Amino acid sequence: AIMAADKFLLVGDHEQLPPLVQSDAAEKAGYGISMLKRLADKHPDAVAQLTLQYRMHSEICNLPNLLVYKGNLKCANDEVRKKKLILPRFPRYLRRIINSENTGLGWLVPVLNPNKPVAFASTDTISQSSSKGFEGLEVSRGRGNDRGGLVNDIEVSLTKFVVQGLQGCGLDLANIGIISPYRAQVARLGEDPFLHSCLTSGLEISTIDRYQGRDKEAII
């Protein structure tokens, strides 16, 4: 159809997810590069770049802007640029659960602070107890020939606390998405009794690839 057309349009973003190629031979043959990218690289004058985005706070936008879009990506308006997570019971709810018996949950306050659009919960100082010394938190899941991928139970626990905190502070579960690069970790997250029970209320758990294009108020 393209060959017979006077004009054709391709709509998309070749800077985002590339084609999924599992064959080494296909990868070497160039199938890992999309038609859109090939044409955009060969005919840059034909590319109309849309630079306004309506989905991210400016601080979240900074990362893809720096790594991919060379500073060209802009927030469409002040509402997008400054939008904050609405948590009507923050930090009141957290103060109630962080009592003398749960002082270890104090990290939730800075992580859930709606004035911080981006937060990192570092697990660098946590290690599995072992006579061999420090060991990573990831373990291989699966039996026999099924390697099953990597899972991290510590991250599952931390994710559960974050979801509980967001819900307790007033965010609807349907406005929360949990993503992971590993299918095995997605499966492990879904096995947690609390997180599994939240699925019926709209909580979503998926891989990064499958979640492409989705919108949520909070992404973990």
Side-chain angles (χ1 to χ4, degrees), residues 110-130:
V111 166
L112 301 186
N113 188 341
N115 292 316
K116 295 182 178 181
V118 181
F120 297 93
S122 173
T123 60
D124 287 353
T125 58
I126 303 175
S127 67
Q128 303 279 26
S129 57
S130 170

Side-chain angles (χ1 to χ4, degrees), residues 16-168:
Q16 296 193 28
L17 291 179
L20 177 61
V21 179
Q22 296 179 311
S23 165
D24 290 338
E27 184 71 38
K28 291 179 181 178
Y31 287 95
I33 302 174
S34 69
M35 179 189 292
L36 180 58
K37 179 170 176 55
R38 291 180 188 276
L39 292 174
D41 289 346
K42 191 171 183 178
H43 305 282
D45 293 340
V47 176
Q49 187 175 32
L50 306 182
T51 59
L52 296 181
Q53 64 86 16
Y54 296 81
R55 306 170 70 182
M56 297 176 284
H57 186 284
S58 60
E59 291 187 23
I60 301 175
C61 181
N62 284 341
L63 182 61
N65 220 357
L66 177 66
L67 296 179
V68 178
Y69 297 107
K70 302 177 182 178
N72 294 320
L73 197 60
K74 309 295 182 184
C75 294
N77 50 52
D78 283 341
E79 181 182 359
V80 174
R81 184 179 299 107
K82 301 177 181 179
K83 186 177 180 181
K84 297 179 181 180
L85 202 59
I86 299 176
L87 300 177
R89 294 191 290 274
F90 176 91
R92 186 172 68 255
Y93 169 80
L94 297 180
R95 290 190 183 125
R96 189 167 72 246
I97 65 171
I98 302 172
N99 51 38
S100 58
E101 297 179 358
N102 292 306
T103 54
L105 294 180
W107 58 272
L108 280 174
V109 176
V111 166
L112 301 186
N113 188 341
N115 292 316
K116 295 182 178 181
V118 181
F120 297 93
S122 173
T123 60
D124 287 353
T125 58
I126 303 175
S127 67
Q128 303 279 26
S129 57
S130 170
S131 59
K132 299 177 182 178
F134 178 85
E135 290 188 5
L137 301 178
E138 292 81 10
V139 296
S140 179
R141 174 174 181 165
R143 299 177 180 177
N145 294 327
D146 181 15
R147 296 288 182 255
L150 296 175
V151 297
N152 187 319
D153 288 328
I154 296 296
E155 289 182 358
V156 172
S157 296
L158 297 181
T159 299
K160 178 179 67 174
F161 287 131
V162 172
V163 172
Q164 289 174 333
L166 287 171
Q167 182 186 29

